[in-house]
PDB file of all heavy atoms in Angstrom:
ATOM      1  N   PRO A1407       8.828 -30.110  -3.850  1.00 95.00           N
ATOM      2  CA  PRO A1407       9.249 -29.695  -5.206  1.00 95.00           C
ATOM      3  C   PRO A1407       8.145 -29.763  -6.154  1.00 95.00           C
ATOM      4  O   PRO A1407       8.185 -29.268  -7.235  1.00 95.00           O
ATOM      5  CB  PRO A1407      10.297 -30.824  -5.500  1.00 95.00           C
ATOM      6  CG  PRO A1407      10.023 -31.911  -4.600  1.00 95.00           C
ATOM      7  CD  PRO A1407       9.554 -31.316  -3.292  1.00 95.00           C
ATOM      8  N   GLN A1408       7.007 -30.306  -5.687  1.00 96.00           N
ATOM      9  CA  GLN A1408       5.796 -30.450  -6.669  1.00 96.00           C
ATOM     10  C   GLN A1408       5.192 -29.015  -6.844  1.00 96.00           C
ATOM     11  O   GLN A1408       4.642 -28.761  -7.925  1.00 96.00           O
ATOM     12  CB  GLN A1408       4.731 -31.436  -6.077  1.00 96.00           C
ATOM     13  CG  GLN A1408       3.541 -31.622  -6.986  1.00 96.00           C
ATOM     14  CD  GLN A1408       2.624 -32.644  -6.357  1.00 96.00           C
ATOM     15  OE1 GLN A1408       3.057 -33.772  -6.013  1.00 96.00           O
ATOM     16  NE2 GLN A1408       1.303 -32.370  -6.383  1.00 96.00           N
ATOM     17  N   ILE A1409       5.238 -28.172  -5.827  1.00 97.00           N
ATOM     18  CA  ILE A1409       4.523 -26.925  -5.900  1.00 97.00           C
ATOM     19  C   ILE A1409       5.471 -25.873  -6.590  1.00 97.00           C
ATOM     20  O   ILE A1409       6.573 -25.662  -6.236  1.00 97.00           O
ATOM     21  CB  ILE A1409       4.258 -26.391  -4.406  1.00 97.00           C
ATOM     22  CG1 ILE A1409       3.372 -27.354  -3.685  1.00 97.00           C
ATOM     23  CG2 ILE A1409       3.563 -25.042  -4.483  1.00 97.00           C
ATOM     24  CD1 ILE A1409       1.957 -27.576  -4.410  1.00 97.00           C
ATOM     25  N   LYS A1410       5.018 -25.360  -7.674  1.00 96.00           N
ATOM     26  CA  LYS A1410       5.775 -24.386  -8.511  1.00 96.00           C
ATOM     27  C   LYS A1410       5.235 -23.018  -8.537  1.00 96.00           C
ATOM     28  O   LYS A1410       6.027 -22.038  -8.773  1.00 96.00           O
ATOM     29  CB  LYS A1410       5.782 -24.808 -10.005  1.00 96.00           C
ATOM     30  CG  LYS A1410       6.324 -26.245 -10.220  1.00 96.00           C
ATOM     31  CD  LYS A1410       7.842 -26.316  -9.761  1.00 96.00           C
ATOM     32  CE  LYS A1410       8.473 -27.656  -9.948  1.00 96.00           C
ATOM     33  NZ  LYS A1410       9.880 -27.804  -9.418  1.00 96.00           N
ATOM     34  N   THR A1411       4.048 -22.774  -8.086  1.00 96.00           N
ATOM     35  CA  THR A1411       3.416 -21.373  -8.033  1.00 96.00           C
ATOM     36  C   THR A1411       2.631 -21.345  -6.753  1.00 96.00           C
ATOM     37  O   THR A1411       1.813 -22.228  -6.451  1.00 96.00           O
ATOM     38  CB  THR A1411       2.555 -21.099  -9.235  1.00 96.00           C
ATOM     39  OG1 THR A1411       3.264 -21.309 -10.435  1.00 96.00           O
ATOM     40  CG2 THR A1411       1.974 -19.726  -9.127  1.00 96.00           C
ATOM     41  N   ILE A1412       2.838 -20.253  -5.942  1.00 96.00           N
ATOM     42  CA  ILE A1412       2.024 -20.037  -4.783  1.00 96.00           C
ATOM     43  C   ILE A1412       1.466 -18.645  -4.800  1.00 96.00           C
ATOM     44  O   ILE A1412       2.184 -17.629  -5.085  1.00 96.00           O
ATOM     45  CB  ILE A1412       2.890 -20.147  -3.422  1.00 96.00           C
ATOM     46  CG1 ILE A1412       3.537 -21.510  -3.349  1.00 96.00           C
ATOM     47  CG2 ILE A1412       2.075 -19.854  -2.214  1.00 96.00           C
ATOM     48  CD1 ILE A1412       4.337 -21.799  -2.223  1.00 96.00           C
ATOM     49  N   LEU A1413       0.094 -18.665  -4.535  1.00 95.00           N
ATOM     50  CA  LEU A1413      -0.656 -17.291  -4.700  1.00 95.00           C
ATOM     51  C   LEU A1413      -1.016 -17.036  -3.270  1.00 95.00           C
ATOM     52  O   LEU A1413      -1.873 -17.646  -2.605  1.00 95.00           O
ATOM     53  CB  LEU A1413      -1.918 -17.578  -5.523  1.00 95.00           C
ATOM     54  CG  LEU A1413      -1.582 -18.300  -6.907  1.00 95.00           C
ATOM     55  CD1 LEU A1413      -2.943 -18.774  -7.539  1.00 95.00           C
ATOM     56  CD2 LEU A1413      -0.799 -17.504  -7.830  1.00 95.00           C
ATOM     57  N   LEU A1414      -0.400 -15.896  -2.756  1.00 93.00           N
ATOM     58  CA  LEU A1414      -0.622 -15.438  -1.370  1.00 93.00           C
ATOM     59  C   LEU A1414      -1.669 -14.373  -1.271  1.00 93.00           C
ATOM     60  O   LEU A1414      -1.356 -13.231  -1.335  1.00 93.00           O
ATOM     61  CB  LEU A1414       0.758 -14.949  -0.773  1.00 93.00           C
ATOM     62  CG  LEU A1414       1.769 -16.021  -0.443  1.00 93.00           C
ATOM     63  CD1 LEU A1414       3.044 -15.368   0.099  1.00 93.00           C
ATOM     64  CD2 LEU A1414       1.198 -17.014   0.577  1.00 93.00           C
ATOM     65  N   ASN A1415      -2.885 -14.806  -1.218  1.00 88.00           N
ATOM     66  CA  ASN A1415      -4.023 -13.854  -1.096  1.00 88.00           C
ATOM     67  C   ASN A1415      -4.164 -13.672   0.427  1.00 88.00           C
ATOM     68  O   ASN A1415      -5.159 -13.995   1.087  1.00 88.00           O
ATOM     69  CB  ASN A1415      -5.287 -14.487  -1.641  1.00 88.00           C
ATOM     70  CG  ASN A1415      -6.228 -13.482  -2.118  1.00 88.00           C
ATOM     71  OD1 ASN A1415      -7.021 -12.796  -1.289  1.00 88.00           O
ATOM     72  ND2 ASN A1415      -6.153 -13.138  -3.435  1.00 88.00           N
ATOM     73  N   VAL A1416      -3.090 -13.061   0.919  1.00 86.00           N
ATOM     74  CA  VAL A1416      -3.006 -13.003   2.489  1.00 86.00           C
ATOM     75  C   VAL A1416      -2.463 -11.495   2.753  1.00 86.00           C
ATOM     76  O   VAL A1416      -1.656 -10.949   2.022  1.00 86.00           O
ATOM     77  CB  VAL A1416      -1.915 -13.948   2.979  1.00 86.00           C
ATOM     78  CG1 VAL A1416      -1.830 -13.774   4.543  1.00 86.00           C
ATOM     79  CG2 VAL A1416      -2.326 -15.372   2.590  1.00 86.00           C
ATOM     80  N   GLY A1417      -3.091 -10.919   3.773  1.00 79.00           N
ATOM     81  CA  GLY A1417      -2.721  -9.658   4.327  1.00 79.00           C
ATOM     82  C   GLY A1417      -2.266  -9.830   5.818  1.00 79.00           C
ATOM     83  O   GLY A1417      -2.725 -10.705   6.454  1.00 79.00           O
ATOM     84  N   GLY A1418      -1.428  -9.013   6.268  1.00 81.00           N
ATOM     85  CA  GLY A1418      -1.124  -8.936   7.746  1.00 81.00           C
ATOM     86  C   GLY A1418       0.225  -9.770   7.984  1.00 81.00           C
ATOM     87  O   GLY A1418       0.478  -9.970   9.222  1.00 81.00           O
ATOM     88  N   MET A1419       0.940 -10.204   6.965  1.00 88.00           N
ATOM     89  CA  MET A1419       2.302 -10.861   7.342  1.00 88.00           C
ATOM     90  C   MET A1419       3.259  -9.808   7.695  1.00 88.00           C
ATOM     91  O   MET A1419       3.131  -8.642   7.146  1.00 88.00           O
ATOM     92  CB  MET A1419       2.740 -11.606   6.155  1.00 88.00           C
ATOM     93  CG  MET A1419       2.101 -12.954   5.929  1.00 88.00           C
ATOM     94  SD  MET A1419       2.986 -13.854   4.608  1.00 88.00           S
ATOM     95  CE  MET A1419       2.079 -15.461   4.575  1.00 88.00           C
ATOM     96  N   SER A1420       4.192  -9.989   8.614  1.00 90.00           N
ATOM     97  CA  SER A1420       5.196  -9.084   8.837  1.00 90.00           C
ATOM     98  C   SER A1420       6.124  -9.043   7.679  1.00 90.00           C
ATOM     99  O   SER A1420       6.194  -9.913   6.782  1.00 90.00           O
ATOM    100  CB  SER A1420       5.941  -9.482  10.009  1.00 90.00           C
ATOM    101  OG  SER A1420       6.791 -10.650   9.806  1.00 90.00           O
ATOM    102  N   GLU A1421       6.850  -7.954   7.465  1.00 91.00           N
ATOM    103  CA  GLU A1421       7.718  -7.839   6.397  1.00 91.00           C
ATOM    104  C   GLU A1421       8.917  -8.866   6.429  1.00 91.00           C
ATOM    105  O   GLU A1421       9.321  -9.260   5.425  1.00 91.00           O
ATOM    106  CB  GLU A1421       8.379  -6.374   6.390  1.00 91.00           C
ATOM    107  CG  GLU A1421       7.350  -5.310   6.099  1.00 91.00           C
ATOM    108  CD  GLU A1421       7.944  -3.849   5.999  1.00 91.00           C
ATOM    109  OE1 GLU A1421       9.196  -3.828   6.024  1.00 91.00           O
ATOM    110  OE2 GLU A1421       7.184  -2.926   6.010  1.00 91.00           O
ATOM    111  N   LEU A1422       9.273  -9.192   7.702  1.00 92.00           N
ATOM    112  CA  LEU A1422      10.346 -10.161   7.863  1.00 92.00           C
ATOM    113  C   LEU A1422       9.812 -11.506   7.327  1.00 92.00           C
ATOM    114  O   LEU A1422      10.566 -12.247   6.563  1.00 92.00           O
ATOM    115  CB  LEU A1422      10.747 -10.317   9.231  1.00 92.00           C
ATOM    116  CG  LEU A1422      11.706 -11.384   9.669  1.00 92.00           C
ATOM    117  CD1 LEU A1422      12.991 -11.216   8.860  1.00 92.00           C
ATOM    118  CD2 LEU A1422      11.897 -11.533  11.177  1.00 92.00           C
ATOM    119  N   GLN A1423       8.515 -11.992   7.633  1.00 93.00           N
ATOM    120  CA  GLN A1423       8.004 -13.163   7.124  1.00 93.00           C
ATOM    121  C   GLN A1423       7.953 -13.198   5.578  1.00 93.00           C
ATOM    122  O   GLN A1423       8.280 -14.194   5.008  1.00 93.00           O
ATOM    123  CB  GLN A1423       6.616 -13.384   7.729  1.00 93.00           C
ATOM    124  CG  GLN A1423       6.522 -13.766   9.152  1.00 93.00           C
ATOM    125  CD  GLN A1423       5.196 -13.803   9.766  1.00 93.00           C
ATOM    126  OE1 GLN A1423       4.245 -13.135   9.257  1.00 93.00           O
ATOM    127  NE2 GLN A1423       5.051 -14.671  10.743  1.00 93.00           N
ATOM    128  N   VAL A1424       7.505 -12.036   5.069  1.00 94.00           N
ATOM    129  CA  VAL A1424       7.430 -11.999   3.552  1.00 94.00           C
ATOM    130  C   VAL A1424       8.794 -12.192   2.919  1.00 94.00           C
ATOM    131  O   VAL A1424       8.993 -12.939   1.954  1.00 94.00           O
ATOM    132  CB  VAL A1424       6.799 -10.665   3.121  1.00 94.00           C
ATOM    133  CG1 VAL A1424       6.784 -10.622   1.559  1.00 94.00           C
ATOM    134  CG2 VAL A1424       5.380 -10.575   3.636  1.00 94.00           C
TER     135      VAL A1424
END
Side-chain angles (χ1 to χ4, degrees):
Q1408 182 175 315
I1409 302 298
K1410 300 299 182 184
T1411 303
I1412 300 179
L1413 316 167
L1414 285 178
N1415 209 279
V1416 180
M1419 281 186 180
S1420 72
E1421 292 181 14
L1422 178 61
Q1423 288 176 329
V1424 175

